[in-house]
């Protein structure tokens, strides 16, 4: 079975802090994705990566950056967390030929 | 921009009832996926449909892709409390260039 793990299930940070969310997949997938999920807005794509050191902006990249130094690991970085970044963050991975993903359990981030 | 709409937004039914949820768009999709998400967890892929008119069955769940590949439905027979969750549809654009999610249908099955 595909396994996608995320470093934290719950995280509480203060405004202005730098936040790292990590995602690891064990299926040698080329594609990895970061989404955020908010009530009434559904899932929105922040960034995705189709290869090591490659990244593409999604629909809402502002305020976020990403890093993919190894194939199995994709990190989402909030340089200076703000309260409007309080959300559920979901990582997903998929083989190169498909865009639909296998999701991790999510990280619920609260920024105070 | 390709958009997916889902209806109903919320559905609360008694155990044993049947139900259908819908996923609609004005755009054509090369494939469409259905996920179920339980509270506090990530979405879990249930099925992928790729051919217009395709019907797939997963135990008590029946998925259909519209002939024109613009819509899909999910029918659950004899719903059980374990079916409770958020059902999301997602589609891959006609040329495989983008992937969009619908807003979801929140299903509650009461014992």
């Amino acid at each position: 079975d595909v396994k996608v793990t995320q470093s934290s299930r719950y995280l509480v940070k203060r405004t202005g802090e730098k936040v790292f969310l990590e995602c690891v997949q064990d299926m040698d997938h080329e594609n990895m994705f970061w989404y955020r999920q908010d009530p009434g807005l559904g899932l929105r794509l922040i960034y995705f990566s189709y290869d090591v050191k490659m990244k593409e902006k999604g629909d809402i990249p502002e305020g976020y950056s990403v890093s993919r130094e190894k194939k199995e690991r994709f990190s989402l970085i909030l340089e200076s967390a703000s309260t409007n970044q309080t959300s559920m963050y979901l990582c997903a991975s998929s083989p190169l030929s498909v865009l639909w993903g296998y999701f991790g359990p999510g990280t619920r981030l609260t920024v105070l | 921009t390709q958009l997916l709409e889902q209806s109903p937004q919320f559905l609360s039914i008694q155990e044993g009832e049947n139900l259908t949820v819908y996923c609609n768009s004005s755009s054509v999709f090369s494939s469409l996926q259905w996920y179920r998400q339980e509270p506090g967890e990530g979405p879990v892929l249930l099925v992928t449909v790729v051919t217009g008119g395709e019907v797939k069955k997963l135990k008590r769940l029946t998925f259909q892709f519209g002939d024109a590949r613009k819509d899909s439905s999910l029918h659950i027979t004899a719903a059980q409390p374990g079916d409770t969750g958020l059902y999301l549809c997602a589609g891959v654009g006609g040329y495989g260039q983008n992937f969009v999610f619908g807003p979801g249908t929140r299903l509650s099955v009461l014992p």
Side-chain angles (χ1 to χ4, degrees), chain B residues 34-76:
Chain B
W34 283 93
Y35 291 82
R36 179 170 67 217
Q37 184 178 20
E38 298 186 13
E41 300 292 333
V44 174
L45 182 66
L46 296 174
V47 77
T48 298
V49 285
V50 296
T51 306
E54 182 176 5
V55 176
K56 280 193 174 179
K57 291 194 174 185
L58 189 66
K59 296 184 182 178
R60 293 176 294 101
L61 279 59
T62 302
F63 304 86
Q64 185 161 8
F65 201 14
D67 291 340
R69 305 206 319 271
K70 293 182 179 181
D71 54 83
S72 181
S73 63
L74 158 60
H75 182 78
I76 301 179

Short mmCIF file of all heavy atoms in Angstrom, two decimals, chain B residues 34-76:
data_model
loop_
_atom_site.label_atom_id
_atom_site.label_comp_id
_atom_site.label_asym_id
_atom_site.label_seq_id
_atom_site.Cartn_x
_atom_site.Cartn_y
_atom_site.Cartn_z
N TRP B 34 -13.16 9.67 -7.15
CA TRP B 34 -13.96 9.88 -5.95
C TRP B 34 -13.10 9.50 -4.74
O TRP B 34 -12.43 8.47 -4.73
CB TRP B 34 -15.21 9.02 -5.95
CG TRP B 34 -16.30 9.52 -6.85
CD1 TRP B 34 -16.52 9.18 -8.15
CD2 TRP B 34 -17.32 10.46 -6.50
NE1 TRP B 34 -17.61 9.86 -8.64
CE2 TRP B 34 -18.13 10.64 -7.65
CE3 TRP B 34 -17.64 11.16 -5.34
CZ2 TRP B 34 -19.23 11.50 -7.67
CZ3 TRP B 34 -18.74 12.01 -5.35
CH2 TRP B 34 -19.52 12.17 -6.52
N TYR B 35 -13.16 10.37 -3.73
CA TYR B 35 -12.46 10.15 -2.48
C TYR B 35 -13.48 10.19 -1.33
O TYR B 35 -14.50 10.87 -1.42
CB TYR B 35 -11.44 11.27 -2.21
CG TYR B 35 -10.24 11.32 -3.11
CD1 TYR B 35 -10.31 11.93 -4.36
CD2 TYR B 35 -9.01 10.81 -2.69
CE1 TYR B 35 -9.18 12.01 -5.17
CE2 TYR B 35 -7.88 10.90 -3.50
CZ TYR B 35 -7.99 11.50 -4.74
OH TYR B 35 -6.87 11.59 -5.53
N ARG B 36 -13.14 9.52 -0.23
CA ARG B 36 -13.88 9.69 1.02
C ARG B 36 -12.90 10.18 2.08
O ARG B 36 -11.79 9.62 2.21
CB ARG B 36 -14.53 8.41 1.49
CG ARG B 36 -15.28 8.60 2.82
CD ARG B 36 -16.14 7.40 3.17
NE ARG B 36 -15.33 6.24 3.46
CZ ARG B 36 -15.69 5.00 3.11
NH1 ARG B 36 -16.79 4.79 2.46
NH2 ARG B 36 -14.90 4.01 3.42
N GLN B 37 -13.33 11.17 2.83
CA GLN B 37 -12.49 11.73 3.87
C GLN B 37 -13.24 11.69 5.20
O GLN B 37 -14.35 12.20 5.31
CB GLN B 37 -12.11 13.18 3.54
CG GLN B 37 -11.15 13.81 4.52
CD GLN B 37 -10.76 15.22 4.13
OE1 GLN B 37 -11.45 15.88 3.35
NE2 GLN B 37 -9.65 15.72 4.66
N GLU B 38 -12.62 11.08 6.18
CA GLU B 38 -13.20 11.04 7.52
C GLU B 38 -12.64 12.20 8.33
O GLU B 38 -11.56 12.71 8.03
CB GLU B 38 -12.91 9.69 8.16
CG GLU B 38 -13.53 8.55 7.37
CD GLU B 38 -13.39 7.21 8.06
OE1 GLU B 38 -13.04 7.19 9.25
OE2 GLU B 38 -13.64 6.20 7.39
N PRO B 39 -13.36 12.63 9.35
CA PRO B 39 -12.93 13.81 10.12
C PRO B 39 -11.51 13.66 10.64
O PRO B 39 -11.13 12.63 11.19
CB PRO B 39 -13.94 13.84 11.28
CG PRO B 39 -15.16 13.18 10.73
CD PRO B 39 -14.66 12.10 9.82
N GLY B 40 -10.69 14.68 10.42
CA GLY B 40 -9.33 14.68 10.91
C GLY B 40 -8.36 13.82 10.14
O GLY B 40 -7.21 13.65 10.56
N GLU B 41 -8.79 13.27 9.02
CA GLU B 41 -7.93 12.41 8.21
C GLU B 41 -7.80 12.95 6.80
O GLU B 41 -8.56 13.83 6.37
CB GLU B 41 -8.50 10.99 8.16
CG GLU B 41 -8.64 10.33 9.51
CD GLU B 41 -7.31 10.03 10.17
OE1 GLU B 41 -6.31 9.84 9.45
OE2 GLU B 41 -7.26 9.98 11.42
N GLY B 42 -6.84 12.40 6.03
CA GLY B 42 -6.71 12.77 4.64
C GLY B 42 -7.70 12.00 3.77
O GLY B 42 -8.22 10.95 4.17
N PRO B 43 -8.00 12.51 2.58
CA PRO B 43 -8.91 11.80 1.66
C PRO B 43 -8.32 10.45 1.24
O PRO B 43 -7.11 10.33 1.05
CB PRO B 43 -9.01 12.74 0.46
CG PRO B 43 -8.57 14.08 0.96
CD PRO B 43 -7.57 13.80 2.02
N VAL B 44 -9.20 9.47 1.08
CA VAL B 44 -8.80 8.15 0.62
C VAL B 44 -9.43 7.89 -0.74
O VAL B 44 -10.66 8.04 -0.89
CB VAL B 44 -9.23 7.07 1.63
CG1 VAL B 44 -8.93 5.67 1.08
CG2 VAL B 44 -8.54 7.27 2.97
N LEU B 45 -8.62 7.53 -1.70
CA LEU B 45 -9.11 7.29 -3.05
C LEU B 45 -10.02 6.06 -3.09
O LEU B 45 -9.64 4.99 -2.63
CB LEU B 45 -7.94 7.09 -4.01
CG LEU B 45 -8.27 6.88 -5.48
CD1 LEU B 45 -8.90 8.13 -6.08
CD2 LEU B 45 -7.02 6.49 -6.26
N LEU B 46 -11.24 6.23 -3.62
CA LEU B 46 -12.18 5.12 -3.75
C LEU B 46 -12.13 4.51 -5.15
O LEU B 46 -12.09 3.29 -5.30
CB LEU B 46 -13.61 5.60 -3.47
CG LEU B 46 -13.90 6.12 -2.06
CD1 LEU B 46 -15.31 6.69 -1.99
CD2 LEU B 46 -13.72 5.01 -1.04
N VAL B 47 -12.16 5.36 -6.17
CA VAL B 47 -12.27 4.85 -7.53
C VAL B 47 -11.83 5.91 -8.53
O VAL B 47 -11.86 7.11 -8.22
CB VAL B 47 -13.73 4.43 -7.83
CG1 VAL B 47 -14.60 5.65 -8.11
CG2 VAL B 47 -13.82 3.43 -8.96
N THR B 48 -11.40 5.45 -9.69
CA THR B 48 -11.12 6.32 -10.82
C THR B 48 -11.95 5.84 -11.99
O THR B 48 -11.97 4.63 -12.28
CB THR B 48 -9.63 6.27 -11.20
OG1 THR B 48 -8.85 6.74 -10.10
CG2 THR B 48 -9.35 7.14 -12.41
N VAL B 49 -12.63 6.75 -12.69
CA VAL B 49 -13.37 6.40 -13.90
C VAL B 49 -12.78 7.20 -15.06
O VAL B 49 -12.45 8.38 -14.90
CB VAL B 49 -14.88 6.66 -13.76
CG1 VAL B 49 -15.51 5.58 -12.89
CG2 VAL B 49 -15.17 8.04 -13.19
N VAL B 50 -12.62 6.52 -16.20
CA VAL B 50 -11.92 7.17 -17.32
C VAL B 50 -12.71 7.15 -18.62
O VAL B 50 -12.44 7.94 -19.52
CB VAL B 50 -10.53 6.55 -17.56
CG1 VAL B 50 -9.63 6.77 -16.37
CG2 VAL B 50 -10.64 5.07 -17.86
N THR B 51 -13.68 6.26 -18.75
CA THR B 51 -14.39 6.12 -20.02
C THR B 51 -15.81 6.64 -19.87
O THR B 51 -16.51 6.30 -18.91
CB THR B 51 -14.44 4.64 -20.44
OG1 THR B 51 -13.11 4.13 -20.47
CG2 THR B 51 -15.08 4.49 -21.81
N GLY B 52 -16.27 7.45 -20.83
CA GLY B 52 -17.64 7.94 -20.80
C GLY B 52 -18.64 6.80 -20.71
O GLY B 52 -18.52 5.82 -21.45
N GLY B 53 -19.59 6.90 -19.77
CA GLY B 53 -20.57 5.84 -19.59
C GLY B 53 -20.12 4.72 -18.67
O GLY B 53 -20.90 3.82 -18.35
N GLU B 54 -18.90 4.78 -18.22
CA GLU B 54 -18.35 3.71 -17.37
C GLU B 54 -19.08 3.62 -16.04
O GLU B 54 -19.42 4.63 -15.44
CB GLU B 54 -16.86 3.98 -17.14
CG GLU B 54 -16.14 2.93 -16.31
CD GLU B 54 -14.65 3.21 -16.19
OE1 GLU B 54 -14.19 4.27 -16.66
OE2 GLU B 54 -13.94 2.38 -15.60
N VAL B 55 -19.30 2.39 -15.60
CA VAL B 55 -19.88 2.12 -14.29
C VAL B 55 -18.93 1.21 -13.53
O VAL B 55 -18.48 0.19 -14.06
CB VAL B 55 -21.26 1.44 -14.41
CG1 VAL B 55 -21.80 1.10 -13.01
CG2 VAL B 55 -22.24 2.33 -15.15
N LYS B 56 -18.61 1.61 -12.29
CA LYS B 56 -17.76 0.77 -11.45
C LYS B 56 -18.46 0.53 -10.12
O LYS B 56 -19.12 1.42 -9.59
CB LYS B 56 -16.40 1.44 -11.20
CG LYS B 56 -15.42 1.30 -12.33
CD LYS B 56 -14.02 1.71 -11.92
CE LYS B 56 -13.01 1.42 -13.00
NZ LYS B 56 -11.64 1.83 -12.63
N LYS B 57 -18.30 -0.70 -9.63
CA LYS B 57 -18.92 -1.04 -8.35
C LYS B 57 -17.85 -1.41 -7.33
O LYS B 57 -16.89 -2.12 -7.64
CB LYS B 57 -19.90 -2.21 -8.53
CG LYS B 57 -21.12 -1.84 -9.33
CD LYS B 57 -22.23 -2.88 -9.21
CE LYS B 57 -23.48 -2.39 -9.92
NZ LYS B 57 -24.63 -3.28 -9.74
N LEU B 58 -18.07 -0.92 -6.13
CA LEU B 58 -17.17 -1.21 -5.01
C LEU B 58 -18.07 -1.58 -3.85
O LEU B 58 -18.55 -0.73 -3.10
CB LEU B 58 -16.33 0.03 -4.69
CG LEU B 58 -15.19 -0.09 -3.70
CD1 LEU B 58 -14.11 -0.99 -4.27
CD2 LEU B 58 -14.60 1.28 -3.40
N LYS B 59 -18.35 -2.88 -3.72
CA LYS B 59 -19.30 -3.38 -2.71
C LYS B 59 -20.64 -2.67 -2.85
O LYS B 59 -21.33 -2.84 -3.85
CB LYS B 59 -18.71 -3.21 -1.32
CG LYS B 59 -17.44 -4.05 -1.09
CD LYS B 59 -16.92 -3.93 0.32
CE LYS B 59 -15.65 -4.76 0.47
NZ LYS B 59 -15.05 -4.64 1.82
N ARG B 60 -21.06 -1.86 -1.89
CA ARG B 60 -22.36 -1.20 -1.95
C ARG B 60 -22.31 0.14 -2.66
O ARG B 60 -23.33 0.84 -2.76
CB ARG B 60 -22.88 -0.99 -0.52
CG ARG B 60 -23.21 -2.29 0.24
CD ARG B 60 -23.63 -2.02 1.67
NE ARG B 60 -22.51 -1.47 2.45
CZ ARG B 60 -22.36 -0.19 2.73
NH1 ARG B 60 -23.25 0.71 2.31
NH2 ARG B 60 -21.32 0.21 3.43
N LEU B 61 -21.16 0.52 -3.17
CA LEU B 61 -21.00 1.80 -3.85
C LEU B 61 -20.94 1.58 -5.35
O LEU B 61 -20.20 0.71 -5.83
CB LEU B 61 -19.71 2.49 -3.38
CG LEU B 61 -19.72 3.25 -2.06
CD1 LEU B 61 -20.07 2.37 -0.87
CD2 LEU B 61 -18.37 3.93 -1.84
N THR B 62 -21.71 2.38 -6.10
CA THR B 62 -21.72 2.32 -7.56
C THR B 62 -21.37 3.70 -8.10
O THR B 62 -22.02 4.70 -7.74
CB THR B 62 -23.08 1.88 -8.11
OG1 THR B 62 -23.41 0.60 -7.57
CG2 THR B 62 -23.05 1.80 -9.63
N PHE B 63 -20.36 3.75 -8.93
CA PHE B 63 -19.89 5.00 -9.51
C PHE B 63 -20.18 4.99 -11.01
O PHE B 63 -19.98 3.99 -11.68
CB PHE B 63 -18.37 5.14 -9.31
CG PHE B 63 -17.94 5.04 -7.88
CD1 PHE B 63 -17.69 3.79 -7.31
CD2 PHE B 63 -17.76 6.17 -7.11
CE1 PHE B 63 -17.29 3.69 -5.99
CE2 PHE B 63 -17.35 6.08 -5.79
CZ PHE B 63 -17.12 4.84 -5.23
N GLN B 64 -20.64 6.14 -11.51
CA GLN B 64 -20.91 6.24 -12.94
C GLN B 64 -20.28 7.51 -13.49
O GLN B 64 -20.35 8.57 -12.87
CB GLN B 64 -22.41 6.24 -13.19
CG GLN B 64 -22.77 6.22 -14.66
CD GLN B 64 -24.20 5.76 -14.90
OE1 GLN B 64 -24.97 5.60 -13.97
NE2 GLN B 64 -24.53 5.53 -16.16
N PHE B 65 -19.69 7.41 -14.65
CA PHE B 65 -19.12 8.54 -15.37
C PHE B 65 -20.06 8.87 -16.51
O PHE B 65 -20.47 7.96 -17.25
CB PHE B 65 -17.74 8.17 -15.89
CG PHE B 65 -16.83 9.33 -16.22
CD1 PHE B 65 -17.10 10.62 -15.81
CD2 PHE B 65 -15.66 9.12 -16.93
CE1 PHE B 65 -16.24 11.67 -16.08
CE2 PHE B 65 -14.79 10.16 -17.22
CZ PHE B 65 -15.08 11.44 -16.79
N GLY B 66 -20.45 10.10 -16.65
CA GLY B 66 -21.40 10.47 -17.69
C GLY B 66 -20.86 10.22 -19.09
O GLY B 66 -19.64 10.22 -19.31
N ASP B 67 -21.76 10.01 -20.02
CA ASP B 67 -21.37 9.72 -21.39
C ASP B 67 -20.46 10.81 -21.97
O ASP B 67 -19.53 10.53 -22.73
CB ASP B 67 -22.61 9.57 -22.29
CG ASP B 67 -23.40 8.32 -21.97
OD1 ASP B 67 -22.82 7.40 -21.35
OD2 ASP B 67 -24.60 8.27 -22.32
N ALA B 68 -20.76 12.05 -21.63
CA ALA B 68 -19.99 13.18 -22.16
C ALA B 68 -18.76 13.50 -21.31
O ALA B 68 -18.03 14.45 -21.61
CB ALA B 68 -20.88 14.41 -22.26
N ARG B 69 -18.54 12.73 -20.27
CA ARG B 69 -17.40 12.89 -19.35
C ARG B 69 -17.39 14.27 -18.69
O ARG B 69 -16.33 14.86 -18.43
CB ARG B 69 -16.06 12.62 -20.05
CG ARG B 69 -16.02 11.27 -20.73
CD ARG B 69 -14.61 10.71 -20.87
NE ARG B 69 -13.62 11.67 -21.25
CZ ARG B 69 -13.31 11.99 -22.50
NH1 ARG B 69 -13.96 11.46 -23.50
NH2 ARG B 69 -12.35 12.86 -22.74
N LYS B 70 -18.61 14.80 -18.41
CA LYS B 70 -18.70 16.07 -17.70
C LYS B 70 -19.28 15.90 -16.30
O LYS B 70 -19.32 16.85 -15.52
CB LYS B 70 -19.63 17.03 -18.46
CG LYS B 70 -19.08 17.48 -19.80
CD LYS B 70 -20.04 18.47 -20.45
CE LYS B 70 -19.51 18.97 -21.76
NZ LYS B 70 -20.43 19.96 -22.38
N ASP B 71 -19.76 14.71 -15.98
CA ASP B 71 -20.42 14.53 -14.70
C ASP B 71 -20.26 13.11 -14.22
O ASP B 71 -19.92 12.19 -15.00
CB ASP B 71 -21.90 14.88 -14.80
CG ASP B 71 -22.59 14.12 -15.90
OD1 ASP B 71 -22.97 12.96 -15.66
OD2 ASP B 71 -22.73 14.67 -17.00
N SER B 72 -20.52 12.91 -12.94
CA SER B 72 -20.40 11.59 -12.34
C SER B 72 -21.37 11.50 -11.17
O SER B 72 -21.81 12.52 -10.62
CB SER B 72 -18.97 11.36 -11.86
OG SER B 72 -18.82 10.08 -11.29
N SER B 73 -21.71 10.28 -10.82
CA SER B 73 -22.56 10.07 -9.66
C SER B 73 -22.02 8.93 -8.82
O SER B 73 -21.32 8.04 -9.33
CB SER B 73 -24.00 9.77 -10.09
OG SER B 73 -24.05 8.57 -10.82
N LEU B 74 -22.35 8.99 -7.55
CA LEU B 74 -22.00 7.95 -6.60
C LEU B 74 -23.29 7.52 -5.92
O LEU B 74 -23.97 8.34 -5.30
CB LEU B 74 -21.00 8.48 -5.58
CG LEU B 74 -20.87 7.77 -4.23
CD1 LEU B 74 -20.47 6.32 -4.41
CD2 LEU B 74 -19.90 8.49 -3.33
N HIS B 75 -23.63 6.25 -6.04
CA HIS B 75 -24.84 5.71 -5.42
C HIS B 75 -24.42 4.73 -4.33
O HIS B 75 -23.58 3.85 -4.57
CB HIS B 75 -25.70 5.00 -6.46
CG HIS B 75 -26.97 4.45 -5.91
ND1 HIS B 75 -28.08 5.23 -5.67
CD2 HIS B 75 -27.30 3.18 -5.54
CE1 HIS B 75 -29.04 4.49 -5.17
NE2 HIS B 75 -28.61 3.25 -5.09
N ILE B 76 -24.99 4.90 -3.15
CA ILE B 76 -24.72 3.98 -2.04
C ILE B 76 -26.02 3.25 -1.70
O ILE B 76 -27.06 3.87 -1.47
CB ILE B 76 -24.19 4.71 -0.79
CG1 ILE B 76 -22.90 5.47 -1.14
CG2 ILE B 76 -23.94 3.71 0.34
CD1 ILE B 76 -22.30 6.24 0.03
#
